[in-house]
Amino acid sequence: MAEVEIPPALRRFILQAVPSVPHLEALLLLLHAHEACSAAEIAARLYVDPAVASQLLHDLERTGLVTLHGPRALLAASIEIRNRIAELAAFYAKHVVAISNLIHSVTDRKAHQFADAFRLRKDS
């Protein structure tokens, strides 16, 4: 099976703004929501603890993708952001593995870099 080519602009967006698959799933829920969602609602849909969902939403707020209004979250108002997330949603629906692999490759690399920082090294 041939490897799926992720469009370069979409690839950049994922690498810059989507740190994990749960972050992506939260974005997709907000994209399709008809109103602001609470962390508890996101948690129930993603099968995660409400504290985890709350952290996901705060992380997404820091990237500028989500706006928090008290305890509720909405996608950022920018049409450009909404269009990029909609493009990601459409591509992800057809190529779950390719998108997941891209996200996990970055996550795995960061974990290895973090672990390497604590590796004992022999002085020369």
Side-chain angles (χ1 to χ4, degrees):
M1 180 180 235
E3 189 172 321
V4 174
E5 179 76 24
I6 299 171
L10 189 57
R11 183 180 180 81
R12 270 191 309 278
F13 176 73
I14 293 165
L15 293 173
Q16 292 172 349
V18 184
S20 73
V21 173
H23 286 90
L24 172 58
E25 293 289 343
L27 277 175
L28 299 182
L29 287 174
L30 292 171
L31 176 66
H32 299 296
H34 297 291
E35 57 187 30
C37 295
S38 69
E41 292 165 333
I42 297 290
R45 298 287 305 276
L46 296 180
Y47 303 103
V48 299
D49 187 85
V52 171
S54 179
Q55 186 60 54
L56 293 172
L57 295 175
H58 280 89
D59 292 347
L60 293 169
E61 180 186 39
R62 278 193 295 280
T63 66
L65 299 177
V66 168
T67 303
L68 296 179
H69 299 280
R72 303 191 73 73
L74 286 169
L75 279 186
S78 161
I79 281 294
E80 181 181 346
I81 289 173
R82 288 177 173 277
N83 287 343
R84 183 66 67 201
I85 294 169
E87 177 187 0
L88 175 54
F91 196 87
Y92 184 61
K94 294 178 182 173
H95 305 289
V96 173
V97 173
I99 297 297
S100 297
N101 285 343
L102 175 61
I103 292 170
H104 287 299
S105 72
V106 172
T107 303
D108 291 345
R109 188 169 49 249
K110 287 179 181 176
H112 286 291
Q113 289 170 345
F114 180 76
D116 281 347
F118 292 96
R119 179 175 275 159
L120 296 176
R121 306 218 191 275
K122 187 176 180 180
D123 290 335
S124 304

